[in-house]
Amino acid sequence: MQKKSTDELLTILKEKKHYDEFLAECGNEIIHNISTYLNSFMTETSVSALSRESGLSESYLYKLLEGKRCNPSRDTLLQICFGLHLDIDQCNCLLRAGNFNILYPRIKRDSIIIFCINKNYTLLQCDQMLADSGEKTLNKCN
């Protein structure tokens, strides 16, 4: 997966005179699409396990992983984060890869989600906390 930090990539990018030089050195660190990025997390889990943990259908997940679905919502990506048991940094990277804002602790709903991720809560536990706080749940089935 990723080897260089974002700060390292920025430093290298600033130092290069031509973008092609940057690509030659760091091209494997560039996120080309959400499916490629998601597949990098799928080494230790199956689609059926991800489906169970995320509340998303296997057929939808297969389409997403194959690149046939390209624009998952922010909440869908967060469901996937719970399904893959990602930490907060990984979740924020996935959100950025999907062109969404990262989780922000000053926003009540985001702060609940951050708390749940840090405590290794399940999606169901997180949705219960969100509902109890009057916030929109992640899983549309709840």
Side-chain angles (χ1 to χ4, degrees):
M1 184 129 83
Q2 295 178 342
K3 299 171 199 143
K4 293 176 176 58
S5 71
T6 302
D7 288 338
E8 289 172 312
L9 289 175
L10 283 171
T11 300
I12 294 167
L13 189 55
K14 288 177 187 176
E15 292 171 351
K16 300 299 178 188
K17 290 184 181 191
H18 301 284
Y19 186 71
D20 289 344
E21 295 173 6
F22 172 74
L23 279 181
E25 183 176 339
C26 302
N28 63 329
E29 306 258 354
I30 303 296
I31 299 168
H32 297 281
N33 58 52
I34 196 75
S35 65
T36 303
Y37 194 65
L38 274 176
N39 276 297
S40 69
F41 289 111
M42 294 297 295
T43 57
E44 296 183 22
T45 192
S46 67
V47 173
S48 60
L50 177 55
S51 176
R52 275 191 312 276
E53 296 282 329
S54 69
L56 300 166
S57 73
E58 285 186 40
S59 63
Y60 176 82
L61 290 169
Y62 275 115
K63 289 176 187 171
L64 192 59
L65 292 165
E66 292 169 359
K68 295 177 182 172
R69 296 289 305 250
C70 302
N71 298 314
S73 69
R74 185 175 191 259
D75 284 356
T76 297
L77 291 179
L78 288 168
Q79 284 179 254
I80 291 169
C81 289
F82 277 94
L84 292 172
H85 306 281
L86 301 182
D87 64 32
I88 193 66
D89 292 331
Q90 292 169 318
C91 290
N92 283 333
C93 284
L94 183 58
L95 290 172
R96 276 191 216 100
N99 294 314
F100 293 105
N101 292 330
I102 63 171
L103 290 166
Y104 187 58
R106 291 189 187 271
I107 297 172
K108 181 180 177 185
R109 183 173 187 257
D110 282 6
S111 68
I112 294 168
I113 295 168
I114 291 168
F115 178 85
C116 292
I117 289 168
N118 286 335
K119 299 293 183 185
N120 295 314
Y121 283 16
T122 65
L123 175 63
L124 186 60
Q125 289 170 312
C126 182
D127 275 350
Q128 186 62 57
M129 260 189 96
L130 288 167
D132 290 347
S133 298
E135 297 293 327
K136 182 180 144 215
T137 61
L138 292 170
N139 191 345
K140 291 151 193 68
C141 297
N142 291 338

